[in-house]
Amino acid sequence: PPLFFFKQKTANELLRSLVGAEMCIRDRNIANSYPNVSLVVIDIVGFSQISEELGPNDSITILNELVSFIDTAAEKHQIEKIRTIGNTYFATSGMLNPRLDHAKKSLEFSKEIRQLIIQFNINQKMSLQLKTTIHSGPVMAGIVGVENYNYDLWGETVSDVFRLNEKSTPDEILVTPAVYEALNTIYNFDKVDVGFNDDAYKLINKTKNNPSS
């Protein structure tokens, strides 16, 4: 199925989870605020160039296959997909299903996706890379649009995680100070300079309790 199918399906599932089927039909002016959730942005680097080589039919098949794998990992880690934007995957943890370990779940999900892309590249003989960023904080969420509606998030936390993703480097998982404070006793991070007075931390591939992980 094309990507718009996944986007609309996700929107409908999110709406029903939040407000129920009957209210989804009656009233689209629905919004909520969430004091502390984690957001994950995964940008698939190199896909645009591959798309030009493969053409529309083959490239959408590849992208849908990859998004399907990411969706499966998201379900495993209880990550809630918000939307796909071209070759960018946007998700959250701790919003629809509140949990205290949403930052940890987001990082574990991101680590699995990093391993997934390695195997995906081997199978497809490709060289795709990922730019992954995680941020935690308050967000607002609601239904945007009337006929062609989507469930969307907004606020400074959303702006910050996408801005950090733009500055990030492929094959790294970057987190903001909020995520670092929540996880630095479990995982090792290096502070990195991303400019514009923004602090960020790069995940080092070892946990403090298990150096082999």
Side-chain angles (χ1 to χ4, degrees):
L3 277 179
F4 71 79
F5 172 81
F6 292 112
K7 291 173 67 177
Q8 193 64 44
K9 179 174 180 288
T10 302
N12 288 334
E13 289 173 347
L14 285 164
L15 292 174
R16 292 174 187 278
S17 297
L18 281 167
V19 298
E22 183 178 352
M23 189 172 291
C24 285
I25 297 171
R26 291 200 320 263
D27 185 7
R28 294 283 169 79
N29 294 317
I30 302 168
N32 291 289
S33 60
Y34 301 88
N36 190 24
V37 303
S38 287
L39 305 179
V40 183
V41 176
I42 301 172
D43 187 36
I44 305 170
V45 180
F47 184 78
S48 296
Q49 294 87 334
I50 291 175
S51 296
E52 294 177 1
E53 299 172 5
L54 295 177
N57 292 332
D58 288 341
S59 60
I60 195 63
T61 298
I62 293 294
L63 183 56
N64 275 335
E65 182 179 352
L66 181 54
V67 169
S68 178
F69 289 151
I70 298 175
D71 284 344
T72 299
E75 184 176 357
K76 171 184 172 182
H77 292 282
Q78 298 177 299
I79 301 294
E80 302 137 7
K81 181 170 78 171
I82 300 301
R83 64 178 185 268
T84 54
I85 314 162
N87 55 321
T88 300
Y89 192 98
F90 180 35
T92 180
S93 177
M95 190 177 76
L96 300 186
N97 297 298
R99 56 187 311 130
L100 296 176
D101 63 345
H102 50 80
K104 185 172 184 290
K105 282 289 185 182
S106 298
L107 188 59
E108 290 173 347
F109 165 68
S110 299
K111 288 177 62 180
E112 179 163 337
I113 298 306
R114 188 165 59 178
Q115 294 303 310
L116 183 152
I117 198 69
I118 293 172
Q119 189 60 50
F120 187 85
N121 281 332
I122 293 172
N123 294 342
Q124 297 291 342
K125 296 180 174 58
M126 293 183 175
S127 56
L128 298 175
Q129 298 174 293
L130 301 180
K131 291 168 58 176
T132 306
T133 50
I134 308 172
H135 186 25
S136 298
V139 299
M140 289 176 282
I143 306 165
V144 179
V146 179
E147 295 299 326
N148 297 317
Y149 64 90
N150 280 300
Y151 188 79
D152 208 352
L153 275 62
W154 61 90
E156 285 299 316
T157 305
V158 178
S159 300
D160 289 346
V161 73
F162 275 95
R163 185 173 69 247
L164 180 59
N165 193 267
E166 292 175 358
K167 303 173 185 176
S168 63
T169 302
D171 293 332
E172 290 183 349
I173 297 176
L174 286 188
V175 306
T176 60
V179 178
Y180 171 79
E181 290 299 325
L183 299 179
N184 72 83
T185 59
I186 305 173
Y187 295 98
N188 285 307
F189 297 92
D190 275 348
K191 190 173 183 178
V192 295
D193 181 12
V194 293
F196 300 99
N197 297 317
D198 288 336
D199 290 334
Y201 298 85
K202 177 178 68 174
L203 176 69
I204 305 301
N205 293 331
K206 293 179 181 179
T207 63
K208 292 190 173 180
N209 295 328
N210 184 5
S212 64
S213 63

